[in-house]
Amino acid sequence: MKIKWPAPYPGAHWLDAREERAVMEVLRRRSLFRYYGIKKPKYAESLEQTARISYGVKHALGVNSGTGALMTAVAALGIGPGCEVIVPAFFWVATAGVVVRANAIPVLCEVDESFCMDPDDLARKITPRTKLIIPVHMAGAACNMQAIMQIADQHNIPVLEDCAQANGGSFQGKKVGTFGRIGMFSLQWNKNATAGEGGLLITNDSAFYERCISAHDVGIPWVNDAPCLTQPEAVTWGGGHRMSELTAAVGSVQLKKLPSIVNHMRASKLRIKAMLEGIQGLSFRKLNDPAGDTGCFLIMILESADKARKTIERMQADGLLTACRLADYGMHIYSNVPQLVGKVPLSAAGNPWKLPENGHSVFDYRKGACPRSDAWFERSIILPVPSRLNQSQEKQAAQIIRLAVTAA
């Protein structure tokens, strides 16, 4: 049996005439820039308004990408030389990359059986130089934010939630992205809601929000559609991460569809898992809050690395081509990021690694730096759950996985 498995682009499968009408309206109005145009732009503001309502926050800011959102937040937080920033071993390269670009030092934290930041290891990794914690809600599911926030608050360290892979998720009834000082989301092509590219920042801190506006643009907040120096404390160096009206037009429609997209994926994942229950040698990642899982990925744990390899070979041969052993999951795994492993500098000066301010922050990023995480990665398989599966496809996938595990 061989399955034709859909492409793993959640929001893309929900694109329809509504996004098309929004884009065409932007073009007809000839106002592609978010702040002004031939006619007054409206979609960036609409996206931000939808975000404020959806996440239940005071402030939302549209930006050009998820990476741009991370860079804006890190800049607004004042992260720089002499700072250590704790990130999990399972992430996307941008999470560590924005720390390095700020001339700070990323510090790796183990993941636990949830494949998210391990609060116990987080507590061990904090030093007087720790100035930021970035928990990543990986593969659609939330971190244990209660434990993480307790540790962060105890040490008075700000938290930046990376929600790029868990848009629409929650923990204990509260949306991800609303626990820390700031939350970020991605609208990139692979994400639960997409505009092809794009990002969002959300926060309840009004003064910090003003700094984000400055940092994402020209370094000065905008007032009445123009940069205006009304708040000197918000002045910084801008990064040019504005969101365009075309991006906002698609994103504003997609964000309204997000609950439906997530509900569909979660239901498919639950049905597939139910059909796989009881298979000897197969278990699943721990979910810190099953009700808050967005359902976009299924992580399966095998008895050994060898069994995981054999299982993935059979799954792919039978058409589940997007399945991957986590250890081989590209730059989502810390030791697969060559620029991190090799401590590639930003310039010939060797920064940030050779800056005197970072002299006490010497860490190894080669495989083995997070041995408990490595052990999980070696024997685990990740399978994206497409957002428009029918029940026949779900049954076929479950049957393929069952046969692959049994034969391995």
Side-chain angles (χ1 to χ4, degrees):
M1 178 180 63
K2 192 163 185 175
I3 191 173
K4 187 175 181 181
W5 196 239
Y9 308 125
H13 294 291
W14 293 70
L15 292 167
D16 58 29
R18 284 169 284 183
E19 286 90 348
E20 184 178 345
R21 285 194 297 268
V23 169
M24 291 307 298
E25 183 179 5
V26 172
L27 295 174
R28 284 193 296 269
R29 293 167 68 88
R30 291 182 293 171
S31 299
L32 279 65
F33 182 65
R34 72 155 295 169
Y35 287 117
Y36 51 78
I38 303 299
K39 292 186 177 180
K40 183 173 175 56
K42 68 175 187 178
Y43 278 105
E45 289 186 5
S46 174
L47 174 71
E48 291 163 355
Q49 173 66 6
T50 299
R52 287 193 293 271
I53 295 170
S54 298
Y55 304 114
V57 293
K58 291 181 181 178
H59 305 288
L61 179 65
V63 294
N64 65 334
S65 68
T67 302
L70 286 168
M71 293 180 71
T72 296
V74 166
L77 286 161
I79 301 302
C83 298
E84 293 177 359
V85 179
I86 301 178
V87 301
F90 186 29
F91 55 12
W92 174 240
V93 57
T95 311
V98 297
V99 177
V100 173
R101 291 189 67 84
N103 277 305
I105 298 296
V107 177
L108 293 172
C109 176
E110 296 270 16
V111 299
D112 58 20
E113 62 270 32
S114 72
F115 290 81
C116 292
M117 182 176 277
D118 179 358
D120 292 335
D121 195 48
L122 168 64
R124 289 190 287 267
K125 294 296 172 64
I126 290 174
T127 74
R129 296 177 293 279
T130 306
K131 302 304 178 185
L132 179 63
I133 298 168
I134 308 182
V136 183
H137 303 292
M138 276 301 294
C143 301
N144 183 347
M145 290 310 299
Q146 181 180 14
I148 290 172
M149 291 307 303
Q150 184 176 3
I151 295 166
D153 291 344
Q154 178 184 347
H155 295 276
N156 196 29
I157 300 170
V159 169
L160 161 58
E161 290 179 72
D162 184 335
C163 312
Q165 290 201 5
N167 201 354
S170 61
F171 176 74
Q172 297 181 349
K174 186 177 179 182
K175 294 287 183 70
V176 296
T178 63
F179 291 86
R181 173 78 66 83
I182 190 166
M184 65 73 60
F185 299 87
S186 172
L187 298 174
Q188 190 263 347
W189 190 236
N190 294 302
K191 304 305 186 290
N192 291 352
T194 186
E197 194 60 273
L200 272 170
L201 289 169
I202 59 172
T203 184
N204 285 310
D205 186 328
S206 297
F208 181 64
Y209 168 68
E210 294 296 332
R211 281 190 60 81
C212 287
I213 293 176
S214 295
H216 103 291
D217 196 4
V218 295
I220 299 173
W222 282 71
V223 178
N224 296 326
D225 303 333
C228 184
L229 185 55
T230 58
Q231 300 180 41
E233 66 278 4
V235 173
T236 184
W237 288 101
H241 299 301
R242 291 185 300 264
M243 175 179 278
S244 77
E245 274 288 283
L246 286 170
T247 297
V250 177
S252 62
V253 177
Q254 281 268 303
L255 203 56
K256 292 173 183 175
K257 296 179 180 179
L258 182 59
S260 297
I261 297 170
V262 166
N263 287 340
H264 203 288
M265 290 189 297
R266 186 188 295 125
S268 287
K269 179 178 175 179
L270 285 171
R271 285 190 290 265
I272 293 171
K273 284 183 70 175
M275 288 183 276
L276 296 175
E277 290 293 343
I279 300 177
Q280 186 175 358
L282 175 69
S283 60
F284 304 99
R285 78 187 289 191
K286 172 187 173 183
L287 294 174
N288 291 310
D289 183 355
D293 178 24
T294 67
C296 52
F297 290 93
L298 176 65
I299 295 181
M300 298 168 282
I301 305 168
L302 285 302
E303 293 174 308
S304 67
D306 183 60
K307 187 157 186 173
R309 289 190 192 93
K310 291 177 180 176
T311 299
I312 198 69
E313 288 174 5
R314 177 70 178 266
M315 287 173 61
Q316 291 177 346
D318 287 340
L320 292 177
L321 299 176
T322 57
C324 180
R325 195 171 66 105
L326 265 178
D328 305 317
Y329 196 35
M331 291 194 288
H332 290 96
I333 304 299
Y334 76 94
S335 57
N336 292 343
V337 181
Q339 57 269 53
L340 181 63
V341 171
K343 298 183 182 179
V344 174
L346 292 171
S347 75
N351 56 310
W353 318 106
K354 293 184 178 180
L355 290 175
E357 296 92 335
N358 295 328
H360 294 286
S361 301
V362 180
F363 299 95
D364 188 0
Y365 306 105
R366 293 171 293 183
K367 187 173 182 178
C370 291
R372 288 189 290 114
S373 300
D374 293 338
W376 289 115
F377 302 152
E378 287 290 330
R379 61 190 186 97
S380 298
I381 290 171
I382 186 167
L383 174 68
V385 177
S387 63
R388 288 280 198 182
L389 287 181
N390 58 49
Q391 293 196 28
S392 175
Q393 291 169 316
E394 295 165 6
K395 289 177 183 177
Q396 280 185 278
Q399 187 175 354
I400 287 170
I401 295 168
R402 179 180 289 274
L403 291 172
V405 174
T406 304

